[in-house]
Amino acid sequence: MVSNRMENLHPYVPGEQPKDRQYIKLNANENPYPPSPRVIDAVCGAVRAHPEKLGLYPDPDSSSLKAAIAGMLNRTGGVLCRADVDEKGNVSPAAQDRIPFEVTPDMIYCGNGSDEVLSFVFYAFFGSDRELVVPEHTYSFYPVYAGFYQIPLDRVPLKSDWTLDVERMIGDATARDSGTIFANPNAPTGIALSRAEIRDMIRRAPKDRVFVVDEAYVDFGGESSIPLLAEFDNLVIVRTFSKSLCGAGQRLGFIVSSPKLVNYVTTVKNSLNHFPIDFVAQTAGIAACEDAAYYVGCAKKVVSVRESFSAFLRERGWEVIGSRTNFVFVRKNGVRGEETYRAIKERGILVRHFSTPGIEDFLRITIGTAAQMEELKSAMENI
Ligand SMILES: *Cc1c(COP(=O)(O)O)cnc(C)c1O
């Protein structure tokens, strides 16, 4: 009844989205703040003013959205939590994040969430002929796509301090003449490599293989690799609206890369579904990019709540891995991850527990609003 390919499918299990009870959701790294009021106005206004657009095919190339994304990256430097906002609401990059060239729309490809974008990146650049280098613990969708496209993986264990084993990853990529993918900051650890460390990796990795850095969380305190596009044409940076741009429900993600690699990904898209982003999502995405100041404010709040919540847990004997993201990865001696997850859930709060060997004692807790974290603190104190 089914094709042989079905044997290679091992679907991703997303964080629970329960419908039975109103939980405080700290399990899927969504942003706790609503989108900018300008997004809401733009979406409602566009649908009212142009209802016929719901009946017409959208712009297949998302041209205006690509221009808006490029503009936002140029204005912010690509790391929201460090960008400056003056009294008039003008945004400028922090000195360390300044991009030494102009990001142009032909360097952007956008799709329905970075998960879809990643799938096209896997299809375009990685094949069944050699192993793709990934960290053992990283975004758990990569192995799912590897199964889907029958790409063998070389899963490199993390070091004992949970950082990437950069030497071994580069050694393997060189020995196998293969591509590399990881998230920076990494998930679920929250640890980031510096831009200098990534530059050093790409310098030593095979030049004619694609090197992918997934920057889903970089707006909360990492260093973006976008400036490195001036030096490397085999670099693909993957970004999403789901975390720092308060837009997980809109399904928008994009890559920033050389126009040549963007064209390959576009060819994959046009061979499968050439109208990927609907009119409403394009409208929402453009409005979000035009109000970067709002999202800078959200990212700064997340970082400040993350730091106070981390301090709270450390004072109570938890090991908290230093996070540059909108989540913390924590464990406590003598405490079982799964039991704590269940006890917290009974108190109306969802966090994420992975039963993956090696990290089964950890909890991954999304940083919510200050009020949500107060509820979690009292739940954790009463367990
Ligand atoms: C959340 C996440 C994504 C997926 O984002 P979507 O745009 O919602 O599909 C991709 N990569 C990493 C590392 C993530 O954490």
Side-chain angles (χ1 to χ4, degrees), residues 113-115 118 139 183 214 216-217 240 242-243 251-252:
S114 57
D115 286 340
L118 280 163
Y139 185 39
D214 182 344
Y217 299 108
T240 175
S242 297
K243 314 295 168 40
R251 310 308 304 130
L252 283 176

Side-chain angles (χ1 to χ4, degrees), residues 317-345:
W318 286 78
E319 179 188 350
V320 182
I321 295 185
S323 168
R324 302 289 193 89
T325 65
N326 67 339
F327 59 85
V328 288
F329 199 51
V330 303
R331 68 177 168 183
K332 188 171 178 173
N333 236 338
V335 172
R336 302 277 289 280
E338 180 153 19
E339 282 165 26
T340 318
Y341 151 79
R342 282 188 203 291
I344 293 173
K345 184 171 176 182

